[in-house]
Coordinates of all heavy atoms in Angstrom, one line a residue:
V121 N 3.2 16.0 -14.5 CA 3.4 16.0 -16.0 C 4.9 16.4 -16.3 O 5.6 16.9 -15.4 CB 2.5 17.0 -16.7 CG1 1.0 16.6 -16.5 CG2 2.7 18.4 -16.2
G122 N 5.3 16.1 -17.5 CA 6.7 16.4 -17.9 C 6.8 17.8 -18.5 O 5.8 18.3 -18.9
G123 N 7.9 18.3 -18.5 CA 8.2 19.7 -19.1 C 8.7 20.6 -18.0 O 8.9 20.3 -16.9
T124 N 8.9 21.9 -18.5 CA 9.4 22.9 -17.6 C 8.6 24.2 -17.7 O 9.2 25.3 -17.5 CB 10.9 23.2 -18.0 OG1 10.9 23.6 -19.4 CG2 11.8 22.0 -17.8
T125 N 7.4 24.1 -18.0 CA 6.6 25.4 -18.3 C 6.1 26.0 -17.0 O 6.0 27.2 -16.9 CB 5.4 25.1 -19.1 OG1 4.6 24.1 -18.5 CG2 5.8 24.6 -20.5
H126 N 5.9 25.2 -16.0 CA 5.3 25.7 -14.7 C 4.1 26.5 -14.9 O 3.8 27.5 -14.2 CB 6.3 26.5 -13.9 CG 7.6 25.8 -13.6 ND1 7.6 24.6 -12.8 CD2 8.9 26.1 -13.9 CE1 8.9 24.2 -12.7 NE2 9.7 25.1 -13.3
S127 N 3.3 26.1 -15.9 CA 2.1 26.9 -16.2 C 0.9 26.3 -15.5 O 0.9 25.2 -15.0 CB 1.8 26.9 -17.7 OG 1.5 25.6 -18.2
S128 N -0.2 27.0 -15.5 CA -1.4 26.5 -14.9 C -2.0 25.4 -15.7 O -2.6 24.5 -15.2 CB -2.5 27.7 -14.8 OG -2.8 28.1 -16.1
K129 N -1.7 25.3 -17.0 CA -2.1 24.1 -17.8 C -1.5 22.8 -17.3 O -2.1 21.8 -17.3 CB -1.8 24.3 -19.3 CG -2.6 25.4 -20.0 CD -2.2 25.5 -21.4 CE -3.0 26.6 -22.1 NZ -2.6 26.8 -23.5
A130 N -0.3 22.9 -16.9 CA 0.4 21.7 -16.4 C -0.3 21.2 -15.1 O -0.4 20.0 -14.9 CB 1.9 22.0 -16.1
Y131 N -0.6 22.2 -14.2 CA -1.3 21.8 -13.0 C -2.7 21.2 -13.3 O -3.1 20.2 -12.6 CB -1.4 23.0 -12.1 CG -0.1 23.5 -11.5 CD1 0.6 24.5 -12.1 CD2 0.5 22.8 -10.5 CE1 1.8 24.9 -11.6 CE2 1.8 23.1 -10.0 CZ 2.4 24.2 -10.5 OH 3.6 24.6 -10.1
I132 N -3.4 21.8 -14.2 CA -4.7 21.3 -14.5 C -4.6 19.9 -15.1 O -5.4 19.0 -14.8 CB -5.4 22.3 -15.5 CG1 -5.7 23.6 -14.7 CG2 -6.7 21.7 -16.0 CD1 -6.2 24.8 -15.6
L161 N 0.3 18.3 -9.3 CA 1.5 19.2 -9.0 C 2.2 19.7 -10.3 O 3.3 20.2 -10.2 CB 2.5 18.4 -8.1 CG 2.0 18.0 -6.8 CD1 3.1 17.3 -6.0 CD2 1.6 19.3 -6.0
G162 N 1.6 19.4 -11.4 CA 2.2 19.9 -12.7 C 3.6 19.3 -12.9 O 3.8 18.2 -12.8
D163 N 4.5 20.2 -13.3 CA 5.9 19.8 -13.5 C 6.8 20.4 -12.4 O 8.0 20.6 -12.7 CB 6.3 20.2 -14.9 CG 6.1 21.7 -15.2 OD1 5.7 22.5 -14.2 OD2 6.4 22.2 -16.3
L164 N 6.3 20.6 -11.3 CA 7.0 21.2 -10.2 C 8.1 20.3 -9.6 O 9.1 20.8 -9.2 CB 6.0 21.7 -9.1 CG 6.5 22.6 -8.0 CD1 7.1 23.9 -8.6 CD2 5.4 22.9 -7.0
Y165 N 7.9 19.0 -9.5 CA 8.8 18.2 -8.8 C 9.3 17.1 -9.7 O 8.9 15.9 -9.7 CB 8.1 17.5 -7.6 CG 7.7 18.4 -6.5 CD1 6.4 18.8 -6.4 CD2 8.6 19.0 -5.7 CE1 6.0 19.7 -5.4 CE2 8.3 19.9 -4.7 CZ 6.9 20.3 -4.6 OH 6.6 21.2 -3.6
P166 N 10.3 17.4 -10.6 CA 10.9 16.4 -11.5 C 11.8 15.5 -10.8 O 12.4 15.8 -9.8 CB 11.7 17.3 -12.5 CG 12.0 18.5 -11.7 CD 10.9 18.8 -10.8
N170 N 15.5 17.9 -16.6 CA 14.7 18.3 -17.7 C 15.5 18.9 -18.9 O 15.1 19.8 -19.6 CB 13.7 19.4 -17.3 CG 12.5 18.8 -16.5 OD1 12.0 17.8 -16.9 ND2 12.1 19.5 -15.5

Side-chain angles (χ1 to χ4, degrees):
V121 295
T124 58
T125 60
H126 302 302
S127 69
S128 61
K129 289 181 182 179
Y131 291 102
I132 293 169
L161 295 179
D163 53 5
L164 190 59
Y165 296 102
N170 282 319

